[in-house]
């Protein structure tokens, strides 16, 4: 039985529009240009930070983060950055008696901001807080501990095949690919992506888990 559900953050729960828009403004390019470059590196299967390096070759990303914070233009999240289905979707899973957690590749500040939003989640953590990032298998070892359930009783939901689905499955977790954001839409229906479940929004998940009885074997049959 699936007893815990752990969610990725960017383009799973939170839209990256503000994130990429703020980088475009900081680097002095149009938001359209930034969006196009992010799309290009996405299609190539590259790290999305490559879009920033295309605009400013040799950029020190850690130094740039610090400069933005010092200038009062650092990372920021509020309820408007959440996808509209997030609060109701997370609450519906908790109402089913499931443990709900959030863990993704983000800075420590994003972790603080997310906790400040008081989402209906039992635990929230980021890669910077853990000192290890996806797709490293050690990240998913931490996910399993956060979920407080065996791997085959833990469902990991994310939008990125390489960062989310493939390493989570390698760690023994049940996996779900959400079809939104550039990565989720590009690869959402690719049969080569070994997701146990595919959803278009969080509202799909409670009914799907009820339909399959939350059984990992049944989930594996649901594509």
């Amino acid at each position: 039985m699936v007893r815990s559900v752990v969610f990725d953050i960017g383009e799973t729960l939170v839209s990256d529009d503000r994130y990429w828009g703020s980088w475009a403004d900081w680097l002095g390019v149009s938001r359209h240009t930034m969006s196009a470059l992010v799309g290009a590196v996405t299609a190539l299967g590259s790290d999305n930070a490559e879009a920033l390096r295309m605009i400013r070759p040799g950029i020190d990303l850690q130094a740039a983060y610090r400069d933005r914070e010092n200038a009062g233009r650092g990372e920021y999240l509020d309820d408007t950055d959440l996808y509209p289905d997030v609060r109701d979707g997370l609450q519906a899973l908790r109402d089913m008696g499931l443990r709900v957690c959030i863990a993704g590749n983000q800075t420590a500040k994003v972790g603080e901001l997310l906790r400040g939003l008081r989402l209906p989640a039992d635990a929230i953590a980021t890669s910077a807080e853990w000192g290890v990032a996806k797709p490293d298998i050690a990240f998913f070892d931490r996910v399993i501990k956060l979920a407080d359930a065996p791997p085959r009783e833990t469902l990991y939901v994310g939008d990125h095949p390489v960062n989310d689905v493939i390493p989570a499955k390698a760690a023994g977790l049940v996996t779900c690919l959400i079809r939104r954001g550039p990565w989720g839409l590009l690869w959402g229906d690719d049969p080569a992506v070994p997701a146990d479940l595919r959803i278009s929004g969080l509202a799909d998940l409670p009914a799907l888990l009820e339909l399959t009885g939350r059984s990992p074997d049944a989930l594996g049959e649901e594509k």
Side-chain angles (χ1 to χ4, degrees), residues 13-15 18-19 75-84 86-87 109-110 112-119:
L13 303 181
V14 174
S15 167
R18 186 196 299 270
Y19 176 82
E75 291 180 293
Y76 180 75
L77 287 175
D78 62 21
D79 272 279
T80 65
D81 296 295
L82 299 174
Y83 277 100
V86 169
R87 287 192 181 275
K109 182 172 182 180
V110 167
E112 294 174 5
L113 291 167
L114 281 173
R115 286 187 284 272
L117 295 181
R118 301 190 179 279
L119 296 169

Side-chain angles (χ1 to χ4, degrees), residues 128-203:
E129 292 169 333
W130 283 347
V132 62
K134 298 182 289 186
D136 194 316
I137 195 69
F139 178 93
F140 290 95
D141 290 338
R142 296 297 298 264
V143 165
I144 292 166
K145 292 177 182 176
L146 189 73
D148 194 27
R152 287 299 292 168
E153 296 179 9
T154 300
L155 177 67
Y156 191 78
V157 182
D159 67 301
H160 201 295
V162 174
N163 282 349
D164 298 326
V165 174
I166 293 172
K169 199 168 188 68
L173 281 72
V174 185
T175 58
C176 177
L177 182 67
I178 188 166
R179 299 183 188 92
R180 65 181 171 202
W183 298 274
L185 291 174
L186 183 61
W187 288 300
D189 296 311
D190 187 340
V193 178
D196 297 305
L197 291 172
R198 298 170 196 265
I199 58 175
S200 296
L202 299 196

Side-chain angles (χ1 to χ4, degrees), residues 14-35:
V14 174
S15 167
D16 285 343
D17 287 358
R18 186 196 299 270
Y19 176 82
W20 289 114
S22 66
W23 270 115
D25 298 344
W26 181 257
L27 295 176
V29 299
S30 72
R31 295 189 173 201
H32 171 72
T33 296
M34 178 62 76
S35 178

